[in-house]
Amino acid sequence: MNKVNGSVVSRKDGRAKVTGTATYAAEHQIPNLVHGYLVTASIANGQIKSIDTSAAEKASGVIAVFTHKNAPKVFKPTNNFMTSKIYEARLPLSDDRVYYAGQIVGLVVADTFERARHAAHLVKVEYATEKPLIDPTKATFKEPPSQFGEEMKFEKGDFTTGMASATAKMEVTYKTSTELHAPMEPHATIAQWQGSNSLTIYEPSQWVVGSQRTYAELFGLPTERVRIVTPFIGGAFGSKAFPWPHGILCAAVARQLQRPVKVVLTRAQMTANTGHRSETEQTIRLAATADGSLVSVEHDVKSCTSLVDVFTEPCTGITPVMYATLNMRLKQEVAVINVGTPTFMRAPGENPGLWALESAMDELAWKLKIDPVELRLKNETKEHQRKGLPFSAKAFTECLRFGAEQFGWKDRPLQVRSLTRNGKLIGWGMAGATFPGGRGAASAKVRLLPDGTAHILTAANDMGTGAYTVVASTAAEVLGLSVEKVRVDIGDSLLPDGGLAGGSMMTASLLPAVMSACQQVLKTANAKTADDVFASLRQSGRAAVEATASSKPGEEGKKWAFQSWGAHFCEVSIDEEIGRLQVTRWVSVMNIGRVINAKTAASQVRGGVIMGIGQALMEECHFDPNIGYPVVYDLATYHFPAHADIPRIEVAFVGEPDLNFNPAGVRGVGEIGITGVSSAIGNAVYHATGKRIRNLPITPDKLL
């Protein structure tokens, strides 16, 4: 076995992306293609009194106009995570009600995109308008249903007694703003039917085979009669895991017209129709002894959901894994308001949850005059306090210690407003990071060919995280080949099920299957290396030797809790006169099990940090209280970091392969990078200014 994994390997898909030959969903060239353009509601709550499509139907190039009056037939799917899932439980155009601004109320199909767009603006809709509920402070909060089988409240010990016995107590409320999904690739679907009983969907999907099952249920088809094609995804972050209403409508209309139909959403349509991260209000109560030992922890969370589905931002999931305490109380509540459905967004729950918890730990450290790193080391938990299981391959302590050393934390001034540079206040902050180790079932096929190459096939996908590369390098290592001799095909439901690219699970799910398939193909050929197989193929004249293998979790989840860990250290510079804040230095140390490719893994962490800086300093979406529309609607009005906002981000990895978790020893890296970022910045701001800012984003007005 040659050593490939753990080294620096350039992206297998890099050349295709920089030369423009990588084909994204909207770019597939389909003969006889027509274009759909959405008609969306201009109110946030009410009923359609009348809808006049006559002018649109007469417009040049228009083929058809669909509304709730002539909606094409779609079946309700099972709509659970095990079999099928759609983002909105309400099917598109299923009635005349409007539940949120921007909701789809029609679709115009024409021979060109421009004609479809023009005609869509000719559709006249009259509404019976009702006052929308947009402000969650005016809503009634209730306990949400369980999520992934876990109840949204938990209690252990005696929280009240623990609070009473503590030396230091604090109760603080933290808030985060609504964040919008803004992947570089817009949401788009091309639906092509072969007759009325076979469907091909070109769509960015984080779960190729899951989407296949869902579309099959939506249209009453056998699963094998649906094909999902997703070779490349231009960013997803949770927003492209399941079909949205526009994709369902596109496929339904294509069947009725018996023409391939393309629907591409505008940025404005994406703000309302493709999910967001709900705003949160989190109250943390901590009680500790004089030496910093936590006695009680309480974490109460309020978030918002829509009238068409329920999604809870599960912020309390991180609380039982971070710091040990005998007494803990967790509770989540949700308000139903007139907005589109919130959804998964990079580290859903963990990211905003750590903003609150890690900020509160910093406040406690200052209150007790204990170094924030030492406070975390003192309270580290060795077990998952909700599951009652020990952690496997945990290296949180190493992350904290090595990060502090790399950053020079020991030189941190112990007073606020004590560090200046060039007339600006300088602050240092840190925070812990964590994300669950998730793993699902996956399969892969390997083919060895007479030309001396290996071909790996799986219906996984790569949304920019480097899946092509880690699959190729893993196969190369097992087969004894160079990475250049391994070709990878992914993102097609015709291939073996590669699992879900969500919850940072893809690598941990897929690589054990790739390893097993490569081992199996050598065993099938009775060979030690791929070179032996190649020689045999050339002599025999055979076309290929192949093997397929699968992998799935076993009993390990009953013995261990699996979690990735990290620590962020940052420096900020603040010009108080104009309220300008810059992040000037950053160190992240991560424990993710075995590092398959140091280059792409570090890139993932940097991407998470950059996204976290955006959340901390810029990203917020407000909804107009009268009409319910987001007041930001494109990449110009929704602010996020540019290159000038980002310092050099140093990334290091510590820890050992997590072989209790899977044979590859890997855990995911896509989401942990963002967790703890905003709190590290907020903590640095306090060190610089003495101002404790508890509401994100930290905009200039809060610094003046």
Side-chain angles (χ1 to χ4, degrees):
M1 181 184 291
N2 63 329
K3 182 65 176 174
V4 178
N5 280 339
S7 59
V8 171
V9 179
S10 293
R11 298 180 68 103
K12 291 285 284 185
D13 53 330
R15 182 176 294 275
K17 288 181 174 178
V18 299
T19 59
T21 56
T23 305
Y24 294 88
E27 299 175 331
H28 290 275
Q29 301 301 304
I30 309 297
N32 206 29
L33 183 71
V34 294
H35 300 262
Y37 194 92
L38 299 178
V39 181
T40 57
S42 59
I43 66 168
N45 188 24
Q47 188 172 11
I48 298 172
K49 289 176 64 177
S50 66
I51 185 163
D52 184 357
T53 61
S54 57
E57 290 166 349
K58 295 173 184 175
S60 180
V62 170
I63 297 166
V65 180
F66 294 89
T67 71
H68 68 280
K69 293 183 176 181
N70 63 336
K73 178 67 174 177
V74 179
F75 297 100
K76 283 191 174 183
T78 310
N79 202 22
N80 63 50
F81 289 101
M82 301 305 295
T83 55
S84 65
K85 184 76 178 75
I86 54 179
Y87 277 113
E88 284 191 7
R90 175 187 178 271
L91 294 173
L93 305 185
S94 55
D95 54 48
D96 60 0
R97 291 292 307 178
V98 175
Y99 298 96
Y100 60 91
Q103 176 186 309
I104 299 170
V105 297
L107 180 76
V108 176
V109 182
D111 56 356
T112 70
F113 171 80
E114 292 78 11
R115 285 174 163 175
R117 179 179 58 188
H118 169 70
H121 289 95
L122 298 178
V123 176
K124 297 178 181 179
V125 186
E126 184 181 358
Y127 300 98
T129 305
E130 301 171 28
K131 185 174 178 57
L133 177 58
I134 303 297
D135 184 354
T137 64
K138 298 178 181 178
T140 300
F141 284 85
K142 62 181 181 180
E143 184 179 337
S146 61
Q147 194 158 306
F148 295 110
E150 189 168 272
E151 296 299 319
M152 292 288 100
K153 69 179 178 181
F154 170 78
E155 186 166 355
K156 76 161 191 170
D158 188 336
F159 177 83
T160 303
T161 302
M163 286 292 286
S165 66
T167 303
K169 305 173 189 178
M170 53 179 288
E171 177 178 333
V172 190
T173 297
Y174 303 89
K175 296 181 180 180
T176 63
S177 295
T178 299
E179 295 175 76
L180 296 179
H181 270 294
M184 186 178 296
E185 177 199 23
H187 286 252
T189 302
I190 297 176
Q192 182 181 27
W193 287 83
Q194 296 78 38
S196 60
N197 62 355
S198 185
L199 170 64
T200 300
I201 296 279
Y202 302 88
E203 182 174 71
S205 173
Q206 294 176 235
W207 193 11
V208 175
V209 173
S211 289
Q212 180 191 36
R213 289 196 295 264
T214 302
Y215 277 107
E217 285 196 11
L218 285 162
F219 295 100
L221 298 173
T223 304
E224 62 271 15
R225 303 297 292 177
V226 177
R227 182 185 180 193
I228 309 294
V229 181
T230 309
F232 297 97
I233 303 177
F237 312 107
S239 72
K240 296 175 180 175
F242 315 109
W244 285 102
H246 70 270
I248 300 170
L249 188 56
C250 178
V253 165
R255 178 166 65 174
Q256 185 154 325
L257 296 177
Q258 281 299 294
R259 295 275 298 272
V261 177
K262 179 197 290 190
V263 174
V264 180
L265 269 59
T266 66
R267 289 286 167 184
Q269 290 168 348
M270 285 171 59
T271 62
N273 287 288
T274 58
H276 58 271
R277 195 198 301 272
S278 169
E279 62 183 286
T280 70
E281 179 181 296
Q282 304 177 61
T283 299
I284 298 279
R285 297 178 184 89
L286 299 180
T289 58
D291 68 351
S293 299
L294 287 171
V295 177
S296 289
V297 176
E298 184 174 36
H299 193 172
D300 287 351
V301 183
K302 294 180 178 179
S303 62
C304 304
T305 192
S306 75
L307 285 156
V308 293
D309 214 326
V310 177
F311 182 85
T312 306
E313 188 71 22
C315 300
T316 59
I318 49 91
T319 318
V321 308
M322 290 300 291
Y323 306 113
T325 182
L326 294 174
N327 309 293
M328 182 179 293
R329 193 158 64 194
L330 312 175
K331 184 173 70 172
Q332 299 244 181
E333 295 178 290
V334 65
V336 180
I337 59 176
N338 290 108
V339 298
T341 307
T343 194
F344 308 96
M345 187 171 182
R346 201 173 201 168
E350 291 82 9
N351 176 22
L354 280 177
W355 155 247
L357 182 60
E358 289 299 279
S359 296
M361 287 292 286
D362 195 72
E363 294 203 43
L364 182 62
W366 282 97
K367 186 181 183 77
L368 293 172
K369 296 182 173 56
I370 297 175
D371 182 281
V373 173
E374 293 304 318
L375 182 66
R376 287 164 173 81
L377 289 169
K378 184 175 187 64
N379 288 286
E380 181 189 13
T381 176
K382 300 300 182 183
E383 70 168 19
H384 192 299
Q385 296 170 93
R386 185 161 184 171
K387 295 180 179 179
L389 295 172
F391 289 112
S392 172
K394 182 180 182 183
F396 185 41
T397 295
E398 290 87 336
C399 292
L400 291 166
R401 294 196 186 281
F402 188 70
E405 179 186 340
Q406 292 295 105
F407 190 79
W409 186 256
K410 64 181 176 57
D411 299 323
R412 168 179 172 266
L414 300 181
Q415 297 81 32
V416 300
R417 303 183 69 87
S418 59
L419 190 59
T420 61
R421 186 186 305 137
N422 300 324
K424 299 175 183 177
L425 291 169
I426 304 298
W428 291 4
M430 61 79 53
T434 192
F435 194 82
R439 181 188 175 199
S443 302
K445 176 185 287 188
V446 59
R447 305 184 76 235
L448 299 183
L449 308 174
D451 64 0
T453 64
H455 188 189
I456 314 298
L457 303 99
T458 178
N461 59 62
D462 191 331
M463 52 183 172
T465 51
Y468 279 103
T469 312
V470 296
V471 167
S473 60
T474 298
E477 182 165 292
V478 176
L479 295 171
L481 299 174
S482 67
V483 176
E484 290 72 26
K485 290 187 176 181
V486 180
R487 179 162 66 95
V488 179
D489 278 357
I490 62 178
D492 191 326
S493 61
L494 293 177
L495 306 177
D497 183 358
L500 167 68
S504 295
M505 291 198 302
M506 177 57 74
T507 302
S509 303
L510 183 57
L511 292 200
V514 172
M515 292 170 62
S516 182
C518 291
Q519 293 160 354
Q520 184 63 39
V521 80
L522 295 177
K523 183 178 180 180
T524 299
N526 195 27
K528 292 184 177 180
T529 69
D531 285 335
D532 296 335
V533 182
F534 297 145
S536 174
L537 285 171
R538 286 189 288 268
Q539 290 175 359
S540 66
R542 291 178 61 189
V545 175
E546 64 180 46
T548 301
S550 300
S551 175
K552 64 180 181 180
E555 297 294 306
E556 64 273 6
K558 297 179 180 179
K559 302 175 183 178
W560 305 94
F562 301 104
Q563 198 86 11
S564 288
W565 307 93
H568 300 293
F569 294 80
C570 75
E571 177 185 273
V572 301
S573 169
I574 298 174
D575 186 338
E576 279 194 304
E577 290 189 0
I578 58 174
R580 184 184 187 191
L581 186 160
Q582 286 184 294
V583 180
T584 52
R585 195 154 62 92
W586 199 280
V587 171
S588 294
V589 181
M590 296 288 148
N591 164 227
I592 60 168
R594 186 184 186 192
V595 178
I596 298 297
N597 185 353
K599 188 174 186 178
T600 53
S603 178
Q604 281 296 291
V605 175
R606 291 189 181 100
V609 171
I610 292 167
M611 201 168 175
I613 291 173
Q615 176 198 30
L617 304 183
M618 304 169 193
E619 294 187 47
E620 60 179 331
C621 170
H622 297 288
F623 295 91
D624 186 300
N626 298 308
I627 62 172
Y629 259 97
V631 298
V632 293
Y633 48 84
D634 57 22
L635 298 184
T637 55
Y638 184 66
H639 295 166
F640 50 86
H643 287 295
D645 300 304
I646 304 301
R648 180 175 178 82
I649 300 169
E650 301 288 347
V651 178
F653 297 98
V654 298
E656 299 297 325
D658 194 347
L659 296 173
N660 293 321
F661 188 35
N662 59 60
V666 300
R667 296 194 299 265
V669 67
E671 293 172 273
I672 190 173
I674 195 175
T675 67
V677 170
S678 55
S679 40
I681 294 171
N683 297 339
V685 168
Y686 178 76
H687 184 228
T689 66
K691 294 179 181 178
R692 181 62 69 174
I693 297 174
R694 301 187 179 100
N695 298 347
L696 293 182
I698 305 171
T699 45
D701 57 298
K702 297 171 184 174
L703 297 170
L704 291 172

